[in-house]
């Protein structure tokens, strides 16, 4: 027979259960907030905006015709406390829209995975060079790759400057480095790219990105890969180098005087952007994020407040209920 | 004369001289119940659609000049070939689908779509496939049914063709002469020529047409009655003229013109309709007049007008609103893009060489429309269809609405009005009078034939005193004898011998009850032969009584009493005619009956001639006992603030009495009676009553308005209508008595249009069809009064068909108290009565135990209606909510990506969001959500107000949800954005990209969207828990719990 009574589950939560649930959520959020806050506090981070500080270089780069002129810039700073553990060096761009629709589209994944170096289908408007050769790597993203070089010097004393040892690999995602980006299989990297042109903004072709380390050259260059992973927001930070913990730097960066030597190539003035360099340690939750900690704290506090007021209402109602039942 | 124009049916006899009861050939007028498809009252004739089809002329035994439709029927919507184009056409006609098709086409333009080319097309195809499967399943059923019917016709009909004009082997065509044998179904509409029975009589069962299982008599014309052989029929020549195909089951007018003879009239008595079954007759010959879709059966199965629910309309508006919002968003974004490109674009060297399209406003607009198109939930329509289908199944499956006795479940014949049941507004549930059991004309004749009669079915009208009076040669003995003979003979009941017992096939329960009553008293009616009894409903029997009638005063007095008791009264009278008078009259009658034009009227005049100076024999009263649950259910419905209007054909006293007994009208209510004869008087009366109410007008007063059909005609006229409605709405109860079917639907229509209330009409008879179709929701009672109401309804509920016609003597007032006062007199009251009014008033008690059906209605409205409403609205709101939440995020993202149209989520995450990732939660809400338990809903009808007032779904709630979604999307976007902006959330220090952010947001959206559903559940869990524990002041408590629940919800949502 079709006629039937369907069993129904009715979630019946008592006021006590709801209240305890609310208290639990509130306490959890508070706890999370405190933990996040503490871990954020433990992070040491130094950010130096060098747009203003390298004004002369910036001015030089305003004019595209000066592309072949070198410009270096040195920024000194003092580290009051040592940075313990792994230290990461980031570059940070302000006002650079890596998330523009047509910008993001302008790349060729087929080319980057090494199967067909001449595939430039989706790379408009950077498909081919002026003389008709396909650009490798093609597209707007690759063309606009960040190309400042940043060197950190440790000023041991006024005369001794030690170059802080940095690792330039393993800055990209593993899947990017080993799956999404592959060099075309050729004995010689430069011949693999024969018949292609370098991106117009690049000073040198892709197979000369890191001539010392073949595992970091061509499409699998970490700096290149990191750049190709387009940021979500116009202000973004990208990993540049990691501290090589040897010698003086086994513990991390000791306190003291440092200076950045920057080879200033990347023009930001033209779009009113800014550039910064960031030194940071990390914890289990990544970099310093006061916002998340605060968000948790506020939510926890509000929830607890609500719980208390609801408890008050509940207790009051309970009295009335007994009154009614009498 | 207080009882004069009552609906009392009178049995009138015109007998050809003495002896009075004698078999003779004569016209048989259709029984009263038989004309009910049209109007019972002569003044409100239905607007005929006979004019639609031209009359046809059928040539006998000659080839036809014009082509008539063949006998194949097809009710299916599609065939294999037409399926795809028709289905696609139907689907694309829906605005939402057209919109998505448009988007899918837009995406084919290169470089415009930010989400690829197929991300709309694929979900659209998925959705159309689901809809297509549903259509195929439904159409397959129809095909199967059609095939069964078409095949049956050829093999099982057992038709013998006498003469066929069509070469096709299995089909009958118009003009064919066919022979049908006993037990076979008629293949087409056939004019009866002759049969195996005398005088070309034959019996048919019309259950397929109107659900009535009693046998009906059809009689061929005397002119053709002797054409009983093939040879004779082959020689037949002439024409049949008849009206064009129409849907009036109980009407047929035509003429048979046999060559060399004068034309003879054909009426509904000569026509055997397709689908009826030949019974008790060995064979019969007939000429086919209508075939296939022209037959009355098929004409009647035309689909009822498509009704759309209020919620659906509001939803459509909201889809439009969302579309507007979408356009605004796209415009804003395009303007933003224009601005951004102007101020920034040129300076951004890294995109400098981009092509011009990014600057083109039109291109950008299209891009953004595509980007935001999912703001309109693509899956909404198909989700709703499936949800409502399931809800309809729930209604069908409900054990509480299933009547075991005759295996009738409730039946949702349409599923798109489910939520409307939960919304019946402050105003009108129009109840057809005949819905009330006490007004029911027919007990289940069905039961007489199929189910063995229950013990109580026996007629316990077995008072021996009547008989004793006869035996004792009491002065009233001849009168009583006459009376009982009349009762036994003058009716349309057909006796069917079933072994030793006789089963009466009556088209009216009244008649059956009377015949049974007579049988109990020894007047056994055994066989029907052609007779000359005229039986007719009549209002003015008293006007026609001869002055010589005895006991008139007493009978009147009793009639009045019976009427106030809510009984249906009949007068019994007779007239003696001489042979000569009869012959004379018969001539006039036959002349009148062959007229094509105004035949009814002429016949009426004809009857006038003979029906005068009748001698009153007595009166009968029949009661359908009020079922047990009615007052309670009425009270419940009133508590749920559903206004009940009773629309009944009964007379005023009866109607008021019913009002009292079902507690629609209470003793301390003021009765406003409207009974006027002219427009001016009506207007004056209404104005006067309005003025009396004064400031109370427009509020609900403790008053009942009773208006009769005649006055209603004026009250509904254009100028008075407004104030009449004002007056009616100021009353707690409205009873319209003696209204015609047309007026019933007119009232519903007026209320529907003027008051903007959602109306439900419930009825069981063919006379309720108009009303059922007019109302927002039509409920048919699938009982025994035919399938007409059910077939035209949106929902059908069962009635307890176990009509037990127990007849019992009823002590009239005063006398009964006498018997109580003096024990010794207890047996004498009846004798006194008979002395007083001649033969005594027979009171037949017909308790139609339709107890269940009313509680069915209660459950249908208060539980299923409210639940469906809650479910559907929540499902809709949820669908809107989840889409707004996700896609407004794209707008926020546009603010940080220079309005470039970039998507935050991966394209297939967007494309499949509706059809896969969030497909099930709306179903869960739409199918399983229960705001309150069934017990609570029935116990506190006040809960119905929530759905009734559309508190769950109106513009405010919709915007509330949109704003809620907006806030949530803000949180969902800006929180992760702030948290991820520094780009180092990975423990290995790696930087993240836009899709990383997108995926986080997407995940959180899902958490929020699913979470909010969880919170709904939690919220209603609380609601229904707190409720029953506090039985006092449920309203206030409910509010409290709602409020606290709401704050909780808000808090939790903030957390999300």
């Amino acid at each position: 027979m079709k006629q039937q009574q369907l069993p129904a589950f009715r979630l019946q939560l008592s006021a006590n259960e709801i209240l305890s649930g609310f208290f639990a959520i509130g306490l959890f959020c508070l706890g999370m907030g405190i933990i996040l806050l503490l871990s954020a506090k433990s992070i040491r981070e130094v950010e130096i905006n060098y747009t203003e500080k390298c004004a002369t270089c910036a001015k030089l780069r305003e004019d595209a015709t000066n592309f072949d002129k070198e410009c270096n810039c040195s920024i000194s700073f003092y580290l009051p406390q040592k940075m313990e553990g792994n230290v990461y060096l980031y570059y940070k761009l302000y006002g650079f829209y890596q998330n523009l629709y047509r910008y993001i589209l302008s790349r060729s994944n087929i080319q980057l995975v090494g199967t067909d170096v001449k595939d430039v289908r989706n790379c408009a408007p950077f498909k081919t060079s002026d003389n008709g050769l396909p650009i490798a790597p093609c597209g707007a993203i690759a063309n606009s790759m960040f190309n400042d070089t940043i060197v950190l010097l440790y000023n041991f004393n006024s005369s001794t400057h030690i170059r802080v040892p940095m690792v330039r690999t393993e800055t990209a995602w593993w899947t990017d480095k080993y799956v999404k980006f592959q060099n075309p299989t050729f004995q010689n990297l430069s011949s693999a790219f024969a018949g292609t042109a370098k991106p117009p903004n690049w000073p040198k072709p892709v197979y000369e990105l890191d001539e010392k380390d073949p595992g970091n050259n061509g499409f699998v260059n970490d700096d290149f890969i990191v750049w190709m992973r387009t940021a979500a927001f116009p202000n973004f930070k990208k990993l540049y180098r990691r501290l090589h913990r040897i010698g003086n730097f086994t513990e991390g960066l000791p306190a003291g005087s440092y200076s950045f030597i920057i080879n200033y190539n990347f023009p930001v003035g033209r779009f009113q952007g800014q550039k910064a360099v960031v030194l940071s340690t990390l914890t289990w939750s990544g970099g310093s994020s006061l916002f998340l900690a605060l968000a948790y704290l506020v939510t926890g506090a509000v929830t607890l407040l609500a719980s208390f007021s609801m408890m008050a209402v509940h207790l009051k109602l309970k009295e009335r209920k007994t009154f009614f039942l009498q | 004369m207080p009882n004069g124009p009552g609906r009392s049916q009178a049995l009138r006899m015109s007998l050809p001289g003495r002896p009075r009861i004698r078999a003779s050939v004569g016209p048989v007028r259709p029984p009263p119940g038989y004309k009910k498809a049209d109007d019972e009252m002569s003044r409100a004739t239905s607007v005929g659609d006979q004019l639609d089809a031209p009359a046809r002329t059928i040539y006998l035994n000659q080839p036809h000049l014009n082509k008539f439709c063949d006998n194949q029927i097809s009710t299916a919507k599609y065939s294999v070939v037409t399926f795809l184009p028709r289905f696609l056409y139907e689907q694309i006609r829906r605005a939402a689908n057209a919109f998505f098709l448009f988007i899918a086409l837009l995406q084919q333009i290169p470089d415009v779509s930010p989400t690829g080319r197929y991300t709309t097309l694929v979900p659209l195809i998925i959705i159309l496939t689901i809809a297509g499967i549903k259509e195929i399943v439904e159409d397959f059923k129809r095909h199967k049914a059609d095939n069964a019917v078409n095949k049956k016709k050829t093999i099982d009909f057992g038709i013998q063709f006498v003469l066929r004009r069509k070469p096709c082997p299995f089909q009958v065509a118009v003009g064919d002469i066919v022979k049908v044998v006993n037990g076979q179904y008629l293949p087409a509409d056939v004019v009866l020529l002759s049969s195996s029975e005398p005088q070309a009589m034959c019996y048919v069962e019309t259950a397929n047409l109107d659900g009535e299982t009693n046998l009906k008599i059809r009689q061929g014309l005397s002119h053709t009655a002797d054409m009983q052989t093939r040879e004779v029929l082959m020689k037949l020549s002439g024409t049949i003229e008849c009206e064009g195909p129409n849907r009036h089951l109980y009407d047929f007018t035509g003429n048979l013109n046999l060559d060399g003879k004068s034309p003879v009239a054909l009426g509904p008595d000569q026509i055997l309709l397709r689908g009826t079954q030949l019974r008790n007759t060995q064979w019969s010959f007939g000429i086919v007049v209508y075939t296939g879709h022209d037959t009355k059966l098929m004409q009647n199965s035309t689909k009822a007008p498509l009704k759309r629910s209020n919620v659906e309309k509001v939803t459509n508006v909201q889809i439009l609103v969302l579309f507007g919002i979408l356009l605004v968003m796209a415009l804003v974004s395009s303007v933003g893009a224009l601005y951004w490109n102007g101020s920034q674009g040129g300076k951004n060297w890294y995109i400098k060489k981009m092509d011009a399209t990014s600057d083109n406003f039109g291109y950008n607009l299209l891009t953004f429309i595509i980007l935001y198109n999912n703001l309109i939930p693509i899956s909404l329509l198909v989700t709703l269809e499936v949800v409502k289908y399931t809800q309809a199944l729930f209604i069908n499956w409900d054990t509480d609405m299933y009547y075991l006795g005759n295996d009738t479940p409730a039946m949702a014949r349409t599923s798109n009005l489910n939520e409307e049941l939960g919304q019946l507004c402050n105003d009108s549930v129009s109840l057809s009078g005949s819905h009330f059991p006490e007004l029911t004309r027919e007990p289940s004749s069905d039961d007489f034939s199929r189910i063995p009669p229950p013990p109580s079915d026996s007629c316990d009208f077995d008072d021996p005193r009547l008989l004793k009076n006869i035996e004792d040669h009491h002065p009233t003995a001849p009168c009583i004898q006459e009376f009982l003979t009349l009762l036994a003979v003058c009716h349309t009941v057909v006796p069917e011998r079933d072994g030793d017992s006789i089963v009466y096939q009556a088209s009216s329960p009244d008649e059956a009850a009377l015949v049974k009553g007579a049988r109990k008293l020894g007047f056994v009616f055994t066989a029907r032969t052609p007779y000359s009894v005229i039986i007719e409903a009549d209002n003015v029997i008293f006007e026609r009584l001869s002055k010589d009638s005895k006991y008139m005063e007493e009978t009147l007095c009793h009639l009045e009493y019976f009427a106030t008791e809510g009984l249906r009264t009949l007068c019994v009278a007779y007239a003696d005619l001489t042979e000569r008078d009869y012959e004379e009259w018969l001539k006039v009658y036959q002349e009148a009956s062959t007229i094509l034009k105004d035949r009814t009227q002429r016949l009426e005049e004809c009857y006038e001639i003979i029906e005068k100076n009748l001698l009153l024999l007595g009166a009968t009263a029949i009661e359908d006992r009020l079922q047990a649950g009615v007052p309670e259910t009425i009270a419940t419905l009133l508590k749920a603030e559903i206004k009940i209007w009773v629309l009944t054909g009964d007379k005023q006293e009866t109607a008021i009495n019913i009002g009292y007994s079902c507690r629609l009208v209470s003793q301390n209510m003021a009765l406003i009676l409207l009974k006027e004869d002219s427009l001016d008087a009506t207007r004056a009366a209404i104005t006067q009553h309005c003025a009396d109410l004064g400031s109370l007008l427009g509020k609900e007063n403790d008053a009942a308005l009773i208006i009769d059909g005649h006055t209603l005609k004026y009250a509904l006229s254009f100028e008075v209508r407004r104030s009449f409605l004002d007056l009616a709405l100021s009353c707690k109860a409205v009873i319209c008595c003696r209204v015609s079917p047309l007026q019933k639907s007119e009232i519903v229509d007026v209320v529907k249009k003027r008051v903007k209330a959602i109306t439900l009409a419930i009825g069981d008879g063919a006379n309720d069809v108009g009303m059922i179709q007019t109302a927002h929701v039509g409920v048919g009672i699938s009982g025994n009064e035919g399938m007409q109401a059910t077939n035209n309804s949106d929902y059908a509920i069962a009635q307890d068909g176990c009509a037990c016609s127990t007849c019992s003597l009823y002590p009239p007032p005063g006398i009964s108290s006498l018997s109580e006062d003096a024990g010794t007199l207890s047996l004498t009251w009846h004798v006194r009565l008979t002395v007083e009014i001649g033969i005594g008033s027979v009171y037949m008690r017909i308790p139609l135990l339709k107890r269940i059906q009313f509680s069915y209605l209660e459950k249908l409205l208060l539980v299923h209606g409210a639940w469906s409403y809650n479910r559907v609205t929540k499902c809709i709101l949820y669908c809107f909510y989840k889409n707004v939440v996700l896609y407004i995020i794209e707008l926020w993202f546009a603010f940080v990506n220079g309005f470039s149209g970039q998507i935050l989520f991966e394209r297939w995450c967007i494309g499949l969001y509706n059809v896969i990732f969030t497909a099930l939660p709306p179903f869960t809400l739409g199918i399983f959500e229960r705001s309150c338990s069934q017990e609570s809903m029935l116990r506190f009808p006040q809960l119905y107000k929530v759905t009734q007032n559309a508190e769950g779904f109106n513009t405010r709630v919709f915007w509330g949800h949109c704003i809620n979604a907006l806030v949530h999307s803000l949180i969902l976007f800006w929180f992760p954005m702030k948290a991820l902006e520094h780009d180092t959330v990975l423990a290995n220090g790696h930087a993240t990209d836009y899709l990383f952010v997108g995926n986080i947001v997407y995940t959180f959206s899902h958490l929020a969207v699913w979470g909010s559903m969880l919170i709904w559940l939690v919220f209603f869990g609380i609601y229904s828990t707190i409720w029953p524990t506090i039985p006092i002041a449920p309203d206030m408590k409910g509010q409290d719990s709602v409020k606290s629940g709401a704050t909780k919800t808000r808090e939790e949502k903030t957390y999300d």
Side-chain angles (χ1 to χ4, degrees), chain B residues 452-739:
Chain B
S456 60
D457 190 29
S458 65
C459 177
D460 46 15
F461 181 85
D462 56 353
D463 193 50
R465 284 156 303 193
L466 264 180
L467 287 177
K468 203 159 165 268
N469 269 357
I470 301 174
E471 282 158 18
D472 292 356
H473 299 290
H474 192 273
T476 58
C479 238
I480 296 175
Q481 196 150 8
E482 194 87 339
F483 179 80
L484 291 175
T485 315
L486 256 153
L487 284 193
V489 180
C490 303
H491 47 71
T492 56
V493 176
V494 178
E496 230 187 352
R497 272 189 189 279
D498 184 15
D500 280 346
S501 63
I502 296 169
V503 180
Y504 292 120
Q505 300 278 358
S507 60
S508 141
D510 295 11
E511 288 184 349
L514 291 172
V515 173
K516 282 182 187 174
R519 178 173 68 176
K520 265 290 172 202
L521 295 169
F523 289 75
V524 184
F525 174 62
T526 53
R528 157 108 23 239
T529 45
Y531 56 104
S532 60
V533 178
I534 300 175
I535 295 162
E536 182 198 24
D538 196 283
N539 304 328
V540 284
I541 190 86
F542 262 82
E543 286 167 10
R544 300 172 182 203
L545 285 182
S546 116
K547 299 255 172 346
D548 306 335
S549 291
K550 288 179 265 179
Y551 320 117
M552 256 174 86
E553 294 289 305
E554 294 89 337
T555 311
L556 260 182
C557 167
H558 279 95
L559 282 175
E560 199 166 341
Y561 166 70
F562 290 146
T564 47
E565 285 289 302
L567 310 178
R568 199 156 51 242
T569 54
L570 291 92
C571 284
V572 183
Y574 73 96
D576 285 342
L577 298 177
T578 60
E579 191 87 41
R580 205 164 50 89
D581 285 347
Y582 177 69
E583 292 298 337
E584 251 171 47
W585 177 80
L586 200 62
K587 257 185 237 155
V588 183
Y589 175 82
Q590 275 170 347
E591 194 182 305
S593 61
T594 48
I595 298 170
L596 268 182
K597 208 174 158 229
D598 295 334
R599 186 184 290 175
T600 332
Q601 206 194 326
R602 289 292 298 272
L603 284 176
E604 205 63 51
E605 286 165 17
C606 187
Y607 292 127
E608 294 280 344
I609 302 173
I610 204 159
E611 288 166 359
K612 55 190 180 198
N613 290 328
L614 297 173
L615 287 167
L616 181 68
L617 275 176
T620 62
I622 293 190
E623 179 208 31
D624 292 349
R625 195 194 291 146
L626 190 63
Q627 65 198 19
V630 172
E632 289 78 5
T633 311
I634 297 250
T636 312
L637 292 181
L638 285 176
K639 259 195 226 163
E641 290 197 356
I642 297 172
K643 269 206 180 172
I644 300 174
W645 290 32
V646 177
L647 314 176
T648 172
D650 277 285
K651 61 176 153 187
Q652 189 167 314
E653 292 85 353
T654 315
I656 294 175
N657 189 267
I658 294 155
Y660 278 119
S661 56
C662 67
R663 285 189 229 152
L664 183 63
V665 185
S666 60
Q667 288 297 342
N668 48 7
M669 259 187 190
L671 294 186
I672 301 174
L673 288 166
L674 284 178
K675 203 171 183 180
E676 306 298 338
D677 278 337
S678 68
L679 179 62
D680 291 330
T682 309
R683 188 194 294 126
I686 290 174
T687 320
Q688 179 58 39
H689 284 302
C690 285
D692 288 350
L693 283 172
S695 62
L696 292 170
L697 192 71
K699 292 170 200 142
E700 195 179 278
N701 297 293
D702 210 16
L705 179 73
I706 291 111
I707 184 166
D708 74 338
H710 195 58
T711 321
L712 196 66
K713 189 174 74 187
Y714 301 119
L716 289 181
S717 65
F718 187 71
E719 36 189 328
V720 195
R721 193 182 280 177
R722 188 72 251 171
S723 41
F724 167 66
L725 276 181
D726 286 344
L727 181 64
L729 293 176
S730 312
C731 295
K732 222 173 185 170
V734 178
I735 297 174
C736 306
C737 39
R738 295 180 50 68
V739 287

Side-chain angles (χ1 to χ4, degrees), chain B residues 903-960:
Chain B
I903 45 174
L904 183 58
F905 315 118
E906 204 277 328
R907 58 181 59 168
W908 286 107
C909 287
I910 296 176
L912 300 178
Y913 179 74
N914 273 314
V915 290
I916 292 183
F917 300 128
T918 59
L920 290 179
F923 283 125
T924 326
L925 259 184
I927 294 172
F928 298 117
E929 163 73 8
R930 280 185 184 187
S931 47
C932 289
S933 72
Q934 182 179 324
E935 294 75 33
S936 311
M937 303 290 301
L938 290 172
R939 204 165 139 209
F940 303 107
Q942 291 89 340
L943 280 172
Y944 189 74
K945 278 184 234 167
V946 179
T947 53
Q948 190 179 50
N949 300 339
E951 280 171 32
F953 194 63
N954 50 38
T955 322
R956 213 176 46 110
V957 172
F958 171 72
W959 283 108

Side-chain angles (χ1 to χ4, degrees), chain A residues 13 23 63 76 118 158 184 197 201 215 242 254 278 280 283 297 307:
Chain A
L13 292 176
F23 275 113
D63 191 347
S76 306
K118 287 174 184 168
S158 56
N201 281 18
R242 297 180 299 128
V278 179
S280 174
T283 60
L297 282 176
S307 318

Side-chain angles (χ1 to χ4, degrees), chain A residues 263-285:
Chain A
N263 187 344
Y264 197 115
N265 296 319
F266 196 75
V268 289
R270 271 184 257 164
F271 54 86
Q272 278 106 38
Q274 295 195 320
K275 294 195 284 192
V277 61
V278 179
L279 275 174
S280 174
T281 60
L282 290 180
T283 60
W284 61 275
S285 61

Side-chain angles (χ1 to χ4, degrees), chain B residues 88-109:
Chain B
L88 287 179
Y89 175 69
E90 293 268 314
Q91 290 294 319
I92 301 306
R93 264 198 336 181
R94 303 168 124 182
N97 285 341
F99 171 73
F100 287 111
L101 185 71
F102 167 68
I103 296 289
L105 290 177
L106 272 190
Q107 287 189 328
Q108 305 310 313
I109 304 174

Side-chain angles (χ1 to χ4, degrees), chain A residues 98-99 104-105 107 109 173 176 180 228-233 238, chain B residues 114-115 889-890 893 897 902-910 973 976 980 983 985-986 991-1004:
Chain A
Q98 258 205 320
N99 56 12
I104 286 182
L105 283 188
R107 66 190 281 161
N109 285 322
W173 293 27
D176 285 359
K180 280 181 80 180
M228 290 302 285
R229 195 159 265 278
T230 49
F233 307 109
K238 283 192 183 290
Chain B
T115 54
I889 290 175
E890 298 283 6
F893 188 52
N897 69 19
Q902 174 56 30
I903 45 174
L904 183 58
F905 315 118
E906 204 277 328
R907 58 181 59 168
W908 286 107
C909 287
I910 296 176
F973 180 72
L980 297 174
D983 267 326
V985 284
L986 301 177
T992 56
D993 67 343
Y994 80 99
L995 274 180
F996 185 84
V997 177
N999 290 336
I1000 295 253
V1001 173
Y1002 198 72
T1003 314
F1004 281 143

Side-chain angles (χ1 to χ4, degrees), chain B residues 15-35:
Chain B
L15 297 166
R18 292 169 185 272
R20 284 210 196 93
I21 301 157
R22 194 179 72 180
S24 86
V25 182
V28 180
R29 286 187 68 185
Y34 190 59
K35 284 180 91 175

